[in-house]
Amino acid sequence: MEREEMIGKLKQLAPVVTQVTVTDMGYEFSAIVPSGVIEAIPGMLLNYSGGEWPPNSWGDDKTDEELQALLKGFLLDEAWEVIAWDELTDEQIEFWLEEVENLDS
């Protein structure tokens, strides 16, 4: 698959969280957004939510549509350092595509 085709496919799927982990510095996440990728960085949520994973605080009374809207807003927040597509190697783009495809399995 060509680079532009892989990027196009990732853009269509964005925004999507690929991984959430918790460390001694709180939660961190990796995600794909239309403009590139967000890589997990230790402590990345400390200033945003005190290290907590924001979706945990959104409550159980939300519909799936409301939760998706909240998640989209969260991922597209300007607080995150996004690595642009043109800054990624072909191998990195291929890795991210595999990450997304593995979410379905």
Side-chain angles (χ1 to χ4, degrees):
M1 186 180 299
E2 296 292 321
R3 176 184 178 87
E4 291 307 315
E5 188 179 353
M6 289 188 293
I7 292 171
K9 189 171 183 177
L10 288 166
K11 285 181 178 182
Q12 284 181 327
L13 298 169
V16 63
V17 174
T18 60
Q19 183 178 25
V20 177
T21 56
V22 65
T23 67
D24 58 344
M25 295 184 74
Y27 283 87
E28 53 197 54
F29 70 96
S30 299
I32 297 168
V33 294
S35 58
V37 298
I38 301 169
E39 290 187 330
I41 300 170
M44 69 190 299
L45 288 169
L46 288 176
N47 289 335
Y48 189 88
S49 62
E52 293 299 313
W53 180 233
N56 289 346
S57 66
W58 293 342
D60 296 330
D61 60 340
K62 303 277 190 286
T63 65
D64 286 344
E65 293 81 20
E66 290 171 323
L67 290 172
Q68 285 302 315
L70 286 168
L71 184 60
K72 181 177 180 179
F74 169 72
L75 293 175
L76 298 180
D77 192 295
E78 293 181 6
W80 315 124
E81 183 178 328
V82 177
I83 302 168
W85 297 117
D86 62 354
E87 296 177 25
L88 297 167
T89 66
D90 291 350
E91 292 78 19
Q92 289 171 311
I93 292 169
E94 195 172 325
F95 166 82
W96 286 102
L97 186 57
E98 288 175 13
E99 286 288 296
V100 171
E101 289 173 344
N102 287 335
L103 292 175
D104 294 333
S105 351

